[in-house]
Amino acid sequence: MTETSILRVESVSLSFGGIQALNRVDLEVLPGEILAIIGPNGAGKTSLLNCINGLYRPDSGHIFFENLDITPLKAHKRARLRMGRTFQHTELFAGMTVLDNIKSGRTMDIQANFFGAFFHVGKAVREEMKHRRELEETVIDFLDLNHVREQPVAMLPHGLQKRVDLARALALNPKVLLLDEPMAGMNIEEKEDMASFFLDIHRDLGATLIWIEHDLSTVMNLSDRICVLNFGEKIALGTPDEVRQEPDVIEAYLGQEEAG
Amino acid sequence: MKSIVTDLYSAYYAPYIKESYREDEAIFKSRFQRTWFALLVFALVALPPFMGGYHTFFMTQVLIAVIGAHGLNILLGYTGQISLGHAAFLGVGGYTYSYLAMVLHWPFWLAIPASGLTAAGLGLFIGIPSLRIKGIYLGVATIAFQFIADYTYFHWTTFSGGPQGRAVEAPAFFGYAMTSPLSFYYICLFMAVVLLWGAKNLMRSKYGRCLMAVRDNDISAEALGVPVFKYKILAFVISSFYAGVAGALLVIHLRNVYPAFFHLNVSIEYLAIIIVGGMGTVMGTIFGALFIVLVPEILSNLISSLAQWAHNPDITVLMAPMRLIIHGFLIILFILIEPAGLAGIWRRISSYWKIWPLPYI
Ligand SMILES: Nc1ncnc2c1ncn2[C@@H]1O[C@H](COP(=O)(O)OP(=O)(O)OP(=O)(O)O)[C@@H](O)[C@H]1O
Ligand SMILES: [Mg+2]
């Protein structure tokens, strides 16, 4: 156990009925790294992210964030520790505009009380404008969402929805960003855009990225380390080169990939 | 070279860059909207003195329905939590008012907010089941509350006046009794404007965004730091506050309070208002209230003239249950054909006129 890890998953197990989604998974994430989680369908990747950000409660094990045991904390409390999250099947707020979706990531930073908001006076208005400007100048500009900000998200094409999902998570100034297949269903160009957003996020915001992805060449190119899951077990963890060599991985994942 | 690029860039984005974000976040963004709103407010303030008692009475009825229905709209339309016990909250407001004003002799300007707050306090508890249950099951739980409330209004005589009800006097302002329908109309107009404007403000604040986030996706709301349960409860509290105020105004308006004012069919009527008008918009509440209060009125006028014409007064009796049937029919019709309600139709028409006379550009 190094003092330096930003996130530590300790022997986390989770089961659904008879299915062991996660089996005593250990994982330590270093600050500022890009860590990929890979594995075949149903390996437990999404379940692991859900345990980390509190949407699932593990049957046993602990999660530490900056050396604080967050296992008992609800998801919204963990978000407040600056843990951002995007979803495999974009779970946007379909009835709201792009701008409101993104602003909702700032909930925890807005202190104005109810009556200020009701009468639209004082601090409530000032805060609202401050965050609007910040979001415009950082997230919206950065992810190139200027042209759609007033549109209801339900009308957007898939690739843009994925970007709004990312924007929303970025709006909460995450220290750790959990991304569940952010490139799924994208074409090559969109994937390249997304990859450059990644590197920018990593460089400019210094956020730690944990992401799930199926496309191995992208994973190998972009990640510092890779964690491989199979049937709920962690079967490998290391740099792309190390992981490529692991016999277990070749058998469980890469081999299957080559065969299929 | 650089300047050409920036010029091109800003030319491309010009339509998206507003002078100030503040202007961009205004309630009425276009001149079209501002003009309509100004006209509407002017008409609502200036016309009633010339309308006569019947129409003023009727307009007051609509305003009260607007206040009550917007409460339900905040709960169901904006937050996605169904309630079939909305009338019971109106009842809490109505009975609290009658008790405070008639038994304890509070002035109306204290008793009305107090009625709203009492209902809001109860809403805090009635909202608790929403932690565990959703959708239709929550609907059933709120019906249970409706029935308990019905029973209470009937039997808790010291508080409610029981089945005979209780007479409610015209509100007095420092000793001056405002018996004319016109002065009460202006009180209701004031309340409606403040409450709708406040609700609109809420929806462009963190509070409104959190309510809508809960409606659209409670899982990702949690993941973004929205305490979902807290906001569900908040929705119940705001919603019942509006209902409580509407209930207080209603009993002043009708000069009486009876258990029958607050039965399940009234809850259904409020549901019909926001479904027909359009959920999740202020416009929807206004259109819906106007429509649902207007239609039975026109219908009963038609029926009584029909009864006269046919020399058969029984028709009026036969037609009495029609009201509920019509509400049910309208709910189904709008859910099937126009889920965005009258407000949706209005939006389509107005976006057409905004770009008139060149609608295809
Ligand atoms: N909410 C749930 N209820 C029941 N079973 C679940 C639930 N969530 C996950 N599982 C099961 O747990 C196992 C792991 O699922 P998980 O979604 O974590 O896989 P994954 O690695 O993300 O797969 P994919 O690549 O398909 O997204 C699967 O067998 C899945 O069916
Ligand atoms: Mg998954």
Side-chain angles (χ1 to χ4, degrees):
Chain A
M1 325 253 129
T2 44
E3 282 292 294
T4 52
S5 68
I6 186 162
L7 186 78
R8 198 165 80 237
V9 175
E10 230 177 62
S11 189
V12 161
S13 298
L14 175 72
S15 59
F16 296 101
I19 300 166
Q20 194 71 32
L22 293 171
N23 192 5
R24 310 258 221 114
V25 174
D26 290 300
L27 181 64
E28 239 178 278
V29 186
L30 307 172
E33 77 170 327
I34 301 183
L35 178 101
I37 301 173
I38 63 170
N41 290 115
K45 305 180 295 295
T46 301
S47 301
L48 181 58
L49 286 201
N50 284 345
C51 286
I52 291 175
N53 90 320
L55 292 177
Y56 288 168
R57 181 143 301 201
D59 303 333
S60 61
H62 290 268
I63 320 263
F64 295 86
F65 182 68
E66 295 184 315
N67 288 318
L68 172 76
D69 186 357
I70 57 169
T71 324
L73 295 188
K74 290 219 173 87
H76 70 261
K77 289 263 170 64
R78 298 190 196 188
R80 274 155 199 257
L81 301 171
R82 308 281 164 199
M83 200 186 265
R85 166 79 198 262
T86 70
F87 293 86
Q88 182 169 0
H89 311 284
T90 28
E91 312 266 357
L92 295 175
F93 305 127
M96 294 157 68
T97 63
V98 169
L99 188 59
D100 276 348
N101 265 273
I102 297 173
K103 276 183 180 171
S104 65
R106 280 289 161 96
T107 305
M108 64 186 83
D109 296 304
I110 298 181
Q111 258 97 45
N113 71 36
F114 181 84
F115 296 99
F118 187 92
F119 293 108
H120 196 65
V121 289
K123 192 177 172 195
V125 181
R126 283 196 305 277
E127 258 185 329
E128 196 71 17
M129 293 308 137
K130 172 176 158 268
H131 288 290
R132 172 78 194 269
R133 184 167 308 113
E134 267 177 39
L135 290 173
E136 290 280 352
E137 286 165 6
T138 57
V139 179
I140 294 177
D141 227 31
F142 176 65
L143 287 176
D144 204 4
L145 289 166
N146 289 294
H147 57 301
V148 289
R149 68 156 90 69
E150 301 293 344
Q151 284 184 34
V153 288
M155 318 269 279
L156 299 179
H158 177 78
L160 271 176
Q161 290 202 3
K162 282 275 187 196
R163 242 195 276 167
V164 175
D165 197 10
L166 178 60
R168 197 173 63 165
L170 279 181
L172 57 77
N173 289 323
K175 288 179 188 162
V176 169
L177 203 47
L178 309 166
L179 307 166
D180 197 345
E181 305 199 16
M183 299 183 184
M186 289 188 165
N187 60 32
I188 301 282
E189 258 170 73
E190 289 173 322
K191 279 190 183 181
E192 280 171 357
D193 282 350
M194 206 53 148
S196 76
F197 290 144
F198 262 42
L199 296 174
D200 288 348
I201 292 169
H202 185 245
R203 192 191 55 226
D204 295 350
L205 308 177
T208 306
L209 300 184
I210 302 174
W211 68 309
I212 299 175
E213 176 55 52
H214 281 291
D215 179 1
L216 284 180
S217 64
T218 325
V219 168
M220 299 281 174
N221 279 331
L222 288 179
S223 314
D224 297 320
R225 289 197 303 157
I226 297 172
C227 164
V228 189
L229 290 181
N230 194 23
F231 293 114
E233 312 244 2
K234 185 180 83 177
I235 57 169
L237 175 67
T239 63
D241 286 331
E242 286 166 4
V243 166
R244 232 192 295 257
Q245 314 293 325
E246 285 276 337
D248 278 356
V249 178
I250 296 168
E251 191 189 328
Y253 191 75
L254 304 178
Q256 183 195 49
E257 190 87 345
E258 269 152 34
Chain B
M1 184 62 202
K2 175 126 196 293
S3 82
I4 295 175
V5 175
T6 21
D7 282 356
L8 280 176
Y9 183 86
S10 49
Y12 178 70
Y13 282 112
Y16 310 113
I17 295 169
K18 296 268 166 127
E19 287 301 312
S20 79
Y21 296 130
R22 184 138 192 183
E23 188 180 310
D24 194 37
E25 307 231 338
I27 292 180
F28 301 109
K29 290 190 184 105
S30 72
R31 201 190 312 156
F32 175 84
Q33 286 171 316
R34 278 192 289 269
T35 315
W36 269 105
F37 183 71
L39 281 175
L40 180 71
V41 169
F42 178 78
L44 286 173
V45 173
L47 291 186
F50 308 102
M51 283 192 327
Y54 172 76
H55 288 106
T56 308
F57 184 88
F58 180 76
M59 286 295 289
T60 308
Q61 187 107 345
V62 174
L63 288 172
I64 294 170
V66 162
I67 295 170
H70 204 60
L72 185 60
N73 213 342
I74 289 170
L75 185 66
L76 179 57
Y78 288 96
T79 319
Q81 307 301 303
I82 193 159
S83 167
L84 290 167
H86 200 61
F89 286 112
L90 267 97
V92 174
Y95 279 111
T96 307
Y97 181 86
S98 83
Y99 188 78
L100 293 178
M102 294 298 104
V103 180
L104 303 182
H105 305 291
W106 285 29
F108 82 97
W109 46 269
L110 258 181
I112 291 175
S115 310
L117 288 175
T118 309
L122 199 62
L124 192 81
F125 290 102
I126 302 306
I128 290 174
S130 71
L131 172 64
R132 294 251 171 257
I133 53 179
K134 289 184 182 178
I136 195 76
Y137 301 102
L138 187 58
V140 172
T142 52
I143 288 189
F145 167 62
Q146 173 74 53
F147 287 144
I148 293 168
D150 284 355
Y151 184 87
T152 311
Y153 299 150
F154 203 84
H155 291 280
W156 189 15
T157 329
T158 36
F159 173 65
S160 72
Q164 292 84 28
R166 181 186 285 131
V168 176
E169 282 167 16
F173 199 63
F174 295 108
Y176 168 74
M178 293 182 287
T179 42
S180 88
L182 199 59
S183 51
F184 186 60
Y185 165 84
Y186 283 119
I187 292 176
C188 291
L189 182 63
F190 173 76
M191 295 299 292
V193 168
V194 170
L195 290 173
L196 289 194
W197 174 70
K200 189 80 191 168
N201 284 340
L202 277 185
M203 294 311 155
R204 51 181 175 150
S205 79
K206 144 186 145 170
Y207 295 92
R209 286 193 296 273
C210 288
L211 296 180
M212 292 186 277
V214 169
R215 171 196 66 191
D216 286 349
N217 197 320
D218 51 352
I219 290 171
S220 58
E222 272 283 328
L224 280 162
V226 177
V228 169
F229 181 51
K230 190 183 126 188
Y231 279 96
K232 282 183 181 172
I233 297 289
L234 180 69
F236 270 96
V237 169
I238 304 173
S239 161
S240 11
F241 179 81
Y242 278 55
V245 169
L249 295 174
L250 186 72
V251 302
I252 302 174
H253 183 55
L254 301 177
R255 296 282 191 273
N256 251 310
V257 60
Y258 284 115
F261 292 173
F262 310 113
H263 278 169
L264 182 62
N265 57 337
V266 180
S267 286
I268 306 285
E269 186 168 318
Y270 274 94
L271 211 55
I273 290 179
I274 65 167
I275 289 173
V276 168
M279 288 201 272
T281 61
V282 172
M283 233 9 162
T285 301
I286 296 173
F287 282 142
L290 204 58
F291 191 79
I292 295 292
V293 180
L294 197 74
V295 166
E297 198 65 22
I298 293 175
L299 218 72
S300 68
N301 285 351
L302 271 179
I303 290 166
S304 47
S305 28
L306 192 72
Q308 268 176 11
W309 173 77
H311 302 290
N312 184 358
D314 287 350
I315 295 181
T316 341
V317 182
L318 277 176
M319 293 305 230
M322 276 303 279
R323 206 178 154 103
L324 205 55
I325 294 171
I326 290 169
H327 289 156
F329 174 73
L330 283 172
I331 290 178
I332 294 169
L333 188 78
F334 270 85
I335 286 178
L336 289 179
I337 296 174
E338 183 54 72
L342 294 170
I345 298 173
W346 163 258
R347 243 188 327 274
R348 275 204 298 282
I349 296 173
S350 69
S351 64
Y352 175 83
W353 283 107
K354 232 182 304 188
I355 44 180
W356 190 85
L358 299 166
Y360 298 109
I361 304 187

